[in-house]
Amino acid sequence: MIAIFVLIIGAGIFALINRPTATLDNITPPPGDETETTQNETNEEANEEPQEEEEETEQSDETDQRQFSTTIFEAFQETVDFFTNRDTHIVAVGDSLTQGVGSSDDQGGYVEILDRAINAENQIVSFDNFGIRGDRSDQLLERLDNPEVSNAIEEADIVLITIGANDIMKVFRENFTNLTIEEFREERVNYEERLNQIFTKLQNINPNTDIYLLGFYNPFEQYFQDIEELGMIVESWNRTGSDIAEEDAAITFIPTVDLFNDPDADLFADDNFHPNDRGYQRMARRVMDYLTNEEG
């Protein structure tokens, strides 16, 4: 089983990693349809009609986005009362999921959605977002020593974290010619140690803050849908964060993998790794549910 896994995933990862879109946080959208562009350039009579169709499509997308925004804001207003009359400061740290990579300029990632929804009418919660695309757990651990970050955490009532997916990607990149499950198991142990160090440092900076670790979904299944082991890897790494959280009342694990297990929903950006606006909206709703349920 392991031998078959090594051959299949090794070839697949080699192809993926040698594409410009190989890493979770250094991905560019795939090229467009050159054939369609050539036809439009050479067919002057048909030129106006595709433009009209494109304008109609853009208007439809804008309408859909407004409807999504309205829906999520209305849903959040049901829980905004939870933060009313509280002086709440939320700090978000982590990787591209915290930064909001994949979302549109107007929508923003899950942190921006939380901010806009909670503070839609009045500024009742302050947010600091220190998400950096590509961040691994070792880099986040070092960045917590940054005075700007640590000073914000000192004043934080809540700290939100997304971290770990790029640790997995590092294993892919460094071992794709001889990839086995053992490499992921060994690095998961290192990840667990660093995650504990991150939590310890956060609590040393601010013993009174509540920490929420967001689990990560399986971004690899978009490319390797038939390789069961990838799901097992993501599950074991998520379980690491969940187990640590269970041992500390100040830490809460927020699962997200189930939010993206919907083949009929359009939840990913063009890179097929990061969430799009709809994906981030699902994450924001999940986070809000945990904030209000755990705090209440």
Side-chain angles (χ1 to χ4, degrees), residues 166-200:
N166 290 301
D167 294 61
I168 294 179
M169 287 302 299
K170 186 172 182 288
V171 178
F172 280 145
R173 291 193 299 268
E174 294 181 350
N175 301 278
F176 69 89
T177 59
N178 186 29
L179 194 67
T180 67
I181 291 182
E182 187 59 30
E183 275 78 25
F184 293 98
R185 288 174 177 166
E186 292 177 359
E187 186 57 28
R188 187 200 60 77
V189 174
N190 297 330
Y191 170 69
E192 180 178 5
E193 180 179 352
R194 291 190 295 268
L195 198 57
N196 274 309
Q197 291 174 349
I198 288 171
F199 291 144
T200 297

Side-chain angles (χ1 to χ4, degrees), residues 65-123:
Q65 187 56 56
R66 284 196 299 270
Q67 290 175 345
F68 268 95
S69 297
T70 300
T71 300
I72 194 133
F73 286 153
E74 289 177 349
F76 274 108
Q77 289 307 307
E78 297 177 1
T79 55
V80 164
D81 288 343
F82 175 83
F83 291 102
T84 302
N85 299 324
R86 296 171 182 234
D87 184 15
T88 304
H89 180 201
I90 296 178
V91 173
V93 295
D95 52 30
S96 58
L97 297 182
T98 294
Q99 183 177 341
V101 175
S103 62
S104 68
D105 292 337
D106 293 333
Q107 188 67 54
Y110 88 92
V111 178
E112 176 66 17
I113 294 172
L114 286 172
D115 189 352
R116 294 172 60 201
I118 295 173
N119 298 315
E121 296 181 359
N122 298 296
Q123 185 72 29

Side-chain angles (χ1 to χ4, degrees), residues 1 5 218 224-234:
M1 182 62 181
F5 168 69
N218 185 355
F224 309 109
Q225 299 179 1
D226 298 327
I227 302 179
E228 180 181 355
E229 286 81 358
L230 289 173
M232 294 167 55
I233 292 168
V234 172

Side-chain angles (χ1 to χ4, degrees), residues 24 165 169 216-223 234 268 272-274:
L24 179 64
M169 287 302 299
F216 38 85
Y217 54 89
N218 185 355
F220 316 107
E221 66 182 357
Q222 301 295 310
Y223 292 92
V234 172
F268 290 94
N272 287 321
F273 268 71
H274 297 96

Side-chain angles (χ1 to χ4, degrees), residues 256-268:
T256 66
V257 66
D258 62 300
L259 300 178
F260 295 88
N261 289 340
D262 188 350
D264 297 326
D266 179 16
L267 301 173
F268 290 94

